Amino acid sequence: MSTTTPTPRPLLLKKPVKLACVQLASGADKAANLAHAAAKVAEAAAGGAKIVVLPECFNSPYGCEFFPSYAEPLLPSPPPAESSPSFHALAAMARDNGVYLIGGSIPEVAESNGDKKYYNTSLTFGPSGALLATHRKVHLFDIDIPGRIRFRESDVLSAGSAVTTVELGEYGRVGVAICYDIRFPELAMIAARRDGCFALVYPGAFNTTTGPLHWRLQGQARAMDNQIYVALCSPARDTTAGYHAWGHSLIVDPMAQVLVEADENETIVSAKLDGARIEEARSGIPLRDQRRFDVYPDVSQ
Ligand SMILES: NC(=O)CCC(=O)C(=O)O
């Protein structure tokens, strides 16, 4: 009987790293939000995080009525400092703290031939302050649960049209998408299987109706389907605002266990991610070798 030792697979996450989600309390004053975010990113970095995540719409209140007045042009890249303070503040946060910064999201305005389009856009920066990736929210948050919540981002926003994955230098690749995007497992599968991501990162702002039902479940589901880490980063809840964010920022491991979860208040949650845990999950439950693309199509191709 011949005994062949299987060749070890390269780890998707090349070395362990601490990731932190900053569950930020923000309000109506954009400059104050940016300054506060900078202080919290510095706090997360001082705690050892090398990848830091901010929430969806961290520089403004969340609501269709706010998108146009808070929107900043992001093109050309880099945009002028006067018109795009959030871009430059994020670049400085990454550079000053030597971290990879998945900068939540901000309202973006893009003008072409006098026509203005608005997007919900996430910017990722590297430790030198260079922009690494831009993700425009692909699935706009349009829901209507009678008597509970009606929201129509598409009244104001245009949708992005790309799957976004980004190489974080010495660590490996992550997928970045925004909030409602998490409900579409195809996006996550493409990031995980086509691009070999070690984590899926979702700046998000679920609400107090769908949050308790689906927020954690969605995070665990995407981790379980793809056997990688998932991080969800929400704003803190502000009960004086029109939209009450669920909070509960969390990090899930490749076996779909919640490693850490916030309550609704401002806080930072963090966890050490380890590529060996991904390999362990995948060799124990070897979905990667068991898919039946003769029965159904491979959406990641
Ligand atoms: N900001 C969002 O996309 C909210 C998504 C949400 O609450 C949901 O239930 O999905």
Side-chain angles (χ1 to χ4, degrees):
M1 193 173 88
S2 77
T3 52
T4 47
T5 320
T7 324
R9 297 181 191 241
L11 295 182
L12 295 177
L13 169 56
K14 294 175 202 132
K15 61 178 194 183
V17 63
K18 188 169 185 179
L19 178 148
C21 294
V22 176
Q23 183 161 295
L24 194 74
S26 43
D29 181 339
K30 188 195 277 189
N33 294 337
L34 293 176
H36 188 47
K40 288 292 172 185
V41 170
E43 190 181 323
K50 294 291 181 204
I51 304 174
V52 182
V53 187
L54 286 168
E56 182 176 25
C57 288
F58 78 94
N59 70 351
S60 67
Y62 181 62
C64 287
E65 66 277 34
F66 301 110
F67 295 137
S69 54
Y70 283 82
E72 301 180 14
L74 298 175
L75 295 171
S77 192
E82 322 73 75
S83 58
S84 306
S86 302
F87 178 101
H88 291 277
L90 287 166
M93 290 175 219
R95 189 179 55 242
D96 294 349
N97 297 289
V99 295
Y100 290 96
L101 179 63
I102 297 163
S105 78
I106 61 170
E108 176 195 355
V109 58
E111 199 160 349
S112 103
N113 304 325
D115 184 30
K116 282 185 179 164
K117 284 188 168 180
Y118 298 97
Y119 298 92
N120 186 342
T121 302
S122 180
L123 302 170
T124 298
F125 292 87
S128 70
L131 178 68
L132 302 181
T134 300
H135 177 76
R136 287 173 167 165
K137 190 173 189 174
V138 169
H139 303 93
L140 297 180
F141 179 42
D142 285 0
I143 66 167
D144 188 357
I145 305 176
R148 301 302 297 273
I149 176 169
R150 181 174 189 281
F151 205 101
R152 282 191 60 83
E153 277 191 326
S154 66
D155 283 349
V156 179
L157 299 180
S158 298
S161 50
V163 177
T164 303
T165 67
V166 50
E167 193 69 37
L168 303 185
E170 65 270 44
Y171 299 112
R173 190 170 276 276
V174 298
V176 177
I178 302 173
C179 203
Y180 199 59
D181 282 335
I182 199 174
R183 290 188 180 273
F184 300 85
E186 294 87 347
L187 217 57
M189 282 183 213
I190 293 166
R193 296 222 302 275
R194 186 191 68 187
D195 292 359
C197 292
F198 69 81
L200 301 165
V201 179
Y202 297 94
F206 270 42
N207 53 82
T208 50
T209 297
T210 61
L213 291 170
H214 297 155
W215 169 260
R216 186 193 310 179
L217 198 57
Q218 289 286 344
Q220 288 184 291
R222 297 297 82 79
M224 185 184 65
D225 293 344
N226 297 294
Q227 301 178 299
I228 56 176
Y229 287 97
V230 172
L232 273 57
C233 185
S234 169
R237 191 174 309 158
D238 175 1
T239 51
T240 68
Y243 184 90
H244 297 169
W246 174 235
H248 290 261
S249 297
L250 52 83
I251 302 171
V252 188
D253 79 6
M255 286 296 270
Q257 301 175 100
V258 176
L259 296 176
V260 64
E261 178 171 354
D263 61 13
E264 69 277 21
N265 299 309
E266 182 170 80
T267 185
I268 297 172
V269 289
S270 60
K272 185 84 158 287
L273 315 190
D274 184 342
R277 299 285 89 76
I278 300 174
E279 198 36 48
E280 244 169 59
R282 291 180 172 197
S283 57
I285 308 176
L287 307 178
R288 62 186 168 199
D289 306 320
Q290 298 168 332
R291 294 200 166 87
R292 291 289 308 275
F293 298 131
D294 55 326
V295 176
Y296 44 80
D298 180 358
V299 300
S300 73
Q301 293 306 304

